[in-house]
Amino acid sequence: MKIASICVHGAKDKNNTTGAVAVPIYQSATFSHPGVGDTTGYDYARVQNPTREPLERLVASLEKGAQGLAFTSGMAAVDAFMGLLAPGDHLIATSDLYGGSVRLFNVLCQRAGLVVDYLDTNNQSLLAKRIRPNTRAVFVETPSNPMMMVTDIRAVRKTIGPDVLLVVDNTFLTPVLQRPLELGADFVLHSGTKYLGGHNDTLSGFIVTNHLEYAERLRYITKTVGTGLAPFDSFLVIRGLKTLHLRMERCQYNALETAKWLTSQPKVKKVYYPGLPEHPGHALSQSQAEGFGAMISFEVDSAQTAENVLEKVNFILYAESLGGVETLITYPLLQTHSDVSEEKREALGITDRLLRLSLGVEDLEDILKDLAQALA
Ligand SMILES: Cc1ncc(COP(=O)(O)O)c(C=O)c1O
């Protein structure tokens, strides 16, 4: 089936005896055994539960991968991946990265004896130079958060060779627009809190891989730690995924039109959106993705203007997240990237004049009207 049909029909309850169209919420912590040494396939909900399991299969099939795992949040997914590494391992990550991933890498991983290096993962000669004998993995976010830098996934695979693990955070584009496993990644990771869930009502995270052995190790981690997604949250993400393809189409339309409009606003100095032909990652995006997504960052003329916009927006919400049906505006400096060092923020362009928009599915005219009055 094509992606749109998988979104709608991809989650199936294998225990269905009633004809229920929706996968039920199996709100049970434990499962009784038919006999000694016998199992229904479910024993204890930390290990697996019958609402999470179809969701994991659904996300795996959307990403064209063999195995999917659903976590309590995107960060729980990143942390589980880090559990595959050992003390002394070297990790390379995209320099412009979601601030929570930077916090996890800097604080928790360095404490665990892992060495983390940040660089522009689209600079292949630099990347080749930084590979060390102990480099275990490269962690790529593309487009990156919040500067919308695009990394060539195929080129990274070629540069790092077959032995270094390639992880791609696909939160911004979703499998509707980009499928990193088909481009050479070993793992694709998501904050399902964003577009996959799509309604700003639940946290979730995902990892999909074709490496069965690593998938088993990840399952061992979730079963041991208890970071698998709960039944109710799994239900909400299954429901959200049914309209993922439609939401992406509408969000992306709103984003492209809003990006074009922003470029003509006197108080807007720069617009970062790969869908604009002048964006340095425009052609590359076209070569590896089926769209540009619905995230825009833009720089205004002063910190005062940035503050005014955040204070004055009406139905556009000043909130930290993205990927839902509601249009959100974020101040990366104080919100998503507050834990990134000032020096690094300055180097990347995350200033007190930078704002980030996650376009929702509202009427475009209303979005532009709200932005216009906030910028006035
Ligand atoms: C690109 C990206 N990856 C991962 C995460 C972490 O996900 P979660 O908030 O679900 O833990 C986020 C959260 O904003 C994100 O934007």
Side-chain angles (χ1 to χ4, degrees), residues 34 83 155 216 235 314 359:
E216 270 322 296
F235 168 84
N314 289 323
L359 276 301

Side-chain angles (χ1 to χ4, degrees), residues 128-142:
K129 270 190 224 140
R130 294 281 186 88
I131 300 279
R132 310 180 194 168
N134 61 337
T135 305
R136 258 310 258 137
V138 175
F139 189 103
V140 169
E141 202 175 273
T142 181

Side-chain angles (χ1 to χ4, degrees), residues 327-360:
T327 296
L328 302 186
I329 191 158
T330 302
Y331 201 22
L333 176 78
L334 297 186
Q335 294 177 299
T336 51
H337 289 70
S338 57
D339 279 343
V340 177
S341 72
E342 194 179 335
E343 187 192 352
K344 197 173 157 193
R345 279 198 312 249
E346 286 293 324
L348 290 167
I350 306 172
T351 65
D352 56 6
R353 299 178 306 284
L354 189 81
L355 295 170
R356 194 190 73 183
L357 265 178
S358 166
L359 276 301

Side-chain angles (χ1 to χ4, degrees), residues 11-18 20-24 26 42 50-51 54 57:
K12 287 274 175 264
D13 173 20
K14 68 181 184 196
N15 313 293
N16 190 346
T17 54
T18 62
V21 170
V23 175
Y26 286 96
Y42 306 100
T51 315
R57 291 218 185 95

Side-chain angles (χ1 to χ4, degrees), residues 48-107:
Q48 186 54 287
N49 74 66
T51 315
R52 189 201 312 156
E53 193 175 41
L55 169 62
E56 292 183 334
R57 291 218 185 95
L58 168 58
V59 175
S61 55
L62 287 171
E63 285 288 1
K64 309 290 175 200
Q67 288 282 323
L69 288 98
F71 297 87
T72 48
S73 70
M75 291 318 301
V78 180
D79 187 54
F81 172 75
M82 297 310 288
L84 299 177
L85 308 185
D89 281 351
H90 176 227
L91 171 80
I92 294 175
T94 305
S95 46
D96 181 39
L97 200 63
Y98 167 58
S101 301
V102 175
R103 185 169 62 232
L104 186 120
F105 293 158
N106 286 356
V107 180

Side-chain angles (χ1 to χ4, degrees), residues 73-75 98 141 145 169 171-172 191 193-194 204 322:
S73 70
M75 291 318 301
Y98 167 58
E141 202 175 273
N145 184 357
D169 185 331
T171 299
F172 271 27
S191 166
T193 312
K194 316 300 191 231
S204 66
L322 62 110

Side-chain angles (χ1 to χ4, degrees), residues 193-195 197-202 247 251 254 294-295 315-319 321-330 357-363 367:
T193 312
K194 316 300 191 231
Y195 293 101
H199 294 76
N200 285 320
D201 54 12
T202 184
R247 289 186 283 107
C251 292
N254 283 345
M295 296 298 300
F315 77 85
I316 295 177
L317 302 165
Y318 168 31
S321 197
L322 62 110
V325 290
E326 299 92 355
T327 296
L328 302 186
I329 191 158
T330 302
L357 265 178
S358 166
L359 276 301
V361 300
E362 303 95 335
D363 186 272
I367 292 170

